[in-house]
Short mmCIF file of all heavy atoms in Angstrom, two decimals:
data_model
loop_
_atom_site.label_atom_id
_atom_site.label_comp_id
_atom_site.label_asym_id
_atom_site.label_seq_id
_atom_site.Cartn_x
_atom_site.Cartn_y
_atom_site.Cartn_z
N ARG A 153 -4.17 6.67 14.14
CA ARG A 153 -4.56 6.96 12.76
C ARG A 153 -5.73 7.93 12.69
O ARG A 153 -6.60 7.90 13.55
CB ARG A 153 -5.01 5.67 12.05
CG ARG A 153 -3.92 4.73 11.77
CD ARG A 153 -4.37 3.50 11.00
NE ARG A 153 -3.23 2.62 10.93
CZ ARG A 153 -2.23 2.80 10.06
NH1 ARG A 153 -2.28 3.77 9.19
NH2 ARG A 153 -1.19 2.00 10.07
N HIS A 154 -5.74 8.75 11.65
CA HIS A 154 -6.93 9.51 11.30
C HIS A 154 -7.80 8.58 10.46
O HIS A 154 -7.28 7.73 9.73
CB HIS A 154 -6.56 10.74 10.48
CG HIS A 154 -5.50 11.58 11.12
ND1 HIS A 154 -5.70 12.22 12.32
CD2 HIS A 154 -4.23 11.84 10.75
CE1 HIS A 154 -4.60 12.87 12.64
NE2 HIS A 154 -3.69 12.66 11.72
N ILE A 155 -9.12 8.75 10.58
CA ILE A 155 -10.01 7.75 10.00
C ILE A 155 -11.08 8.34 9.08
O ILE A 155 -11.69 9.37 9.39
CB ILE A 155 -10.68 6.93 11.13
CG1 ILE A 155 -9.59 6.15 11.89
CG2 ILE A 155 -11.74 5.97 10.59
CD1 ILE A 155 -10.06 5.54 13.18
N VAL A 156 -11.34 7.62 7.98
CA VAL A 156 -12.49 7.90 7.10
C VAL A 156 -13.36 6.65 7.10
O VAL A 156 -12.84 5.54 6.96
CB VAL A 156 -12.04 8.20 5.65
CG1 VAL A 156 -13.25 8.29 4.72
CG2 VAL A 156 -11.23 9.49 5.59
N ILE A 157 -14.66 6.82 7.26
CA ILE A 157 -15.60 5.69 7.20
C ILE A 157 -16.45 5.85 5.94
O ILE A 157 -16.91 6.96 5.64
CB ILE A 157 -16.53 5.68 8.45
CG1 ILE A 157 -15.69 5.48 9.72
CG2 ILE A 157 -17.60 4.59 8.34
CD1 ILE A 157 -16.48 5.66 11.02
N ALA A 158 -16.64 4.76 5.20
CA ALA A 158 -17.51 4.80 4.01
C ALA A 158 -18.65 3.81 4.18
O ALA A 158 -18.46 2.70 4.67
CB ALA A 158 -16.71 4.46 2.75
N VAL A 159 -19.84 4.24 3.78
CA VAL A 159 -21.04 3.42 3.93
C VAL A 159 -22.02 3.83 2.82
O VAL A 159 -21.98 4.98 2.37
CB VAL A 159 -21.63 3.63 5.36
CG1 VAL A 159 -22.03 5.08 5.60
CG2 VAL A 159 -22.79 2.70 5.66
N HIS A 160 -22.85 2.92 2.32
CA HIS A 160 -23.74 3.32 1.21
C HIS A 160 -24.83 4.30 1.66
O HIS A 160 -25.05 5.33 1.02
CB HIS A 160 -24.41 2.09 0.57
CG HIS A 160 -25.33 2.46 -0.55
ND1 HIS A 160 -24.85 2.96 -1.75
CD2 HIS A 160 -26.68 2.45 -0.65
CE1 HIS A 160 -25.89 3.24 -2.54
NE2 HIS A 160 -27.00 2.94 -1.90
N HIS A 161 -25.54 3.97 2.73
CA HIS A 161 -26.71 4.79 3.12
C HIS A 161 -26.30 6.01 3.96
O HIS A 161 -25.42 5.92 4.81
CB HIS A 161 -27.69 3.94 3.93
CG HIS A 161 -28.33 2.84 3.13
ND1 HIS A 161 -27.72 1.61 2.94
CD2 HIS A 161 -29.51 2.80 2.45
CE1 HIS A 161 -28.52 0.85 2.19
NE2 HIS A 161 -29.60 1.54 1.87
N ASN A 162 -27.01 7.11 3.74
CA ASN A 162 -26.70 8.34 4.46
C ASN A 162 -27.09 8.25 5.94
O ASN A 162 -28.25 7.95 6.25
CB ASN A 162 -27.40 9.55 3.82
CG ASN A 162 -28.88 9.37 3.64
OD1 ASN A 162 -29.32 8.40 3.03
ND2 ASN A 162 -29.68 10.27 4.17
N PRO A 163 -26.15 8.53 6.84
CA PRO A 163 -26.47 8.47 8.27
C PRO A 163 -27.03 9.79 8.82
O PRO A 163 -27.45 9.85 9.98
CB PRO A 163 -25.11 8.16 8.93
CG PRO A 163 -24.10 8.67 7.98
CD PRO A 163 -24.71 8.73 6.60
N VAL A 164 -27.00 10.83 8.01
CA VAL A 164 -27.58 12.12 8.42
C VAL A 164 -28.66 12.51 7.42
O VAL A 164 -28.58 12.15 6.24
CB VAL A 164 -26.51 13.24 8.49
CG1 VAL A 164 -25.63 13.13 9.71
CG2 VAL A 164 -25.64 13.26 7.23
N PRO A 165 -29.69 13.23 7.89
CA PRO A 165 -30.76 13.62 6.95
C PRO A 165 -30.23 14.59 5.89
O PRO A 165 -29.35 15.40 6.18
CB PRO A 165 -31.80 14.31 7.83
CG PRO A 165 -31.26 14.33 9.22
CD PRO A 165 -29.90 13.73 9.24
N VAL A 166 -30.78 14.47 4.69
CA VAL A 166 -30.48 15.46 3.65
C VAL A 166 -31.74 16.29 3.45
O VAL A 166 -32.78 16.00 4.04
CB VAL A 166 -30.01 14.77 2.34
CG1 VAL A 166 -28.70 14.04 2.56
CG2 VAL A 166 -31.07 13.80 1.80
N ASN A 167 -31.67 17.34 2.64
CA ASN A 167 -32.81 18.25 2.53
C ASN A 167 -34.00 17.64 1.80
O ASN A 167 -35.12 18.10 1.97
CB ASN A 167 -32.38 19.55 1.85
CG ASN A 167 -31.45 20.34 2.74
OD1 ASN A 167 -31.57 20.28 3.97
ND2 ASN A 167 -30.50 21.04 2.16
N ALA A 168 -33.76 16.64 0.95
CA ALA A 168 -34.87 16.01 0.21
C ALA A 168 -35.59 15.03 1.14
O ALA A 168 -35.08 13.95 1.44
CB ALA A 168 -34.32 15.31 -1.02
N GLU A 169 -36.76 15.43 1.59
CA GLU A 169 -37.51 14.69 2.64
C GLU A 169 -37.80 13.23 2.25
O GLU A 169 -37.72 12.33 3.07
CB GLU A 169 -38.82 15.45 2.90
CG GLU A 169 -39.69 14.89 4.01
CD GLU A 169 -39.05 14.97 5.39
OE1 GLU A 169 -38.27 15.91 5.64
OE2 GLU A 169 -39.35 14.07 6.22
N TRP A 170 -38.09 12.97 0.96
CA TRP A 170 -38.47 11.61 0.54
C TRP A 170 -37.36 10.60 0.76
O TRP A 170 -37.61 9.40 0.91
CB TRP A 170 -38.90 11.60 -0.93
CG TRP A 170 -37.79 11.84 -1.92
CD1 TRP A 170 -37.29 13.04 -2.33
CD2 TRP A 170 -37.02 10.85 -2.61
NE1 TRP A 170 -36.27 12.87 -3.22
CE2 TRP A 170 -36.08 11.53 -3.41
CE3 TRP A 170 -37.02 9.45 -2.64
CZ2 TRP A 170 -35.16 10.87 -4.22
CZ3 TRP A 170 -36.09 8.80 -3.46
CH2 TRP A 170 -35.19 9.50 -4.23
N LEU A 171 -36.11 11.09 0.80
CA LEU A 171 -34.99 10.17 0.99
C LEU A 171 -34.86 9.69 2.43
O LEU A 171 -34.17 8.72 2.72
CB LEU A 171 -33.68 10.85 0.56
CG LEU A 171 -33.39 10.86 -0.94
CD1 LEU A 171 -32.28 11.84 -1.28
CD2 LEU A 171 -33.01 9.45 -1.40
N GLN A 172 -35.58 10.37 3.33
CA GLN A 172 -35.42 10.06 4.75
C GLN A 172 -35.81 8.61 5.08
O GLN A 172 -35.12 7.93 5.83
CB GLN A 172 -36.22 11.06 5.60
CG GLN A 172 -35.65 11.30 6.96
CD GLN A 172 -34.11 11.30 7.01
OE1 GLN A 172 -33.42 11.86 6.17
NE2 GLN A 172 -33.56 10.62 8.00
N ASN A 173 -36.90 8.12 4.48
CA ASN A 173 -37.34 6.74 4.74
C ASN A 173 -36.36 5.72 4.20
O ASN A 173 -36.41 4.55 4.57
CB ASN A 173 -38.70 6.47 4.08
CG ASN A 173 -39.79 7.24 4.76
OD1 ASN A 173 -39.65 7.64 5.91
ND2 ASN A 173 -40.87 7.50 4.03
N HIS A 174 -35.51 6.16 3.28
CA HIS A 174 -34.57 5.25 2.62
C HIS A 174 -33.17 5.33 3.22
O HIS A 174 -32.24 4.72 2.71
CB HIS A 174 -34.47 5.58 1.12
CG HIS A 174 -35.78 5.56 0.40
ND1 HIS A 174 -36.78 4.67 0.72
CD2 HIS A 174 -36.25 6.29 -0.63
CE1 HIS A 174 -37.80 4.88 -0.09
NE2 HIS A 174 -37.51 5.86 -0.90
#
Side-chain angles (χ1 to χ4, degrees):
R153 289 183 186 281
H154 308 295
I155 295 168
V156 172
I157 297 171
V159 61
H160 179 69
H161 294 85
N162 53 305
V164 284
V166 295
N167 292 328
E169 183 65 31
W170 69 276
L171 278 166
Q172 209 36 43
N173 291 338
H174 304 326

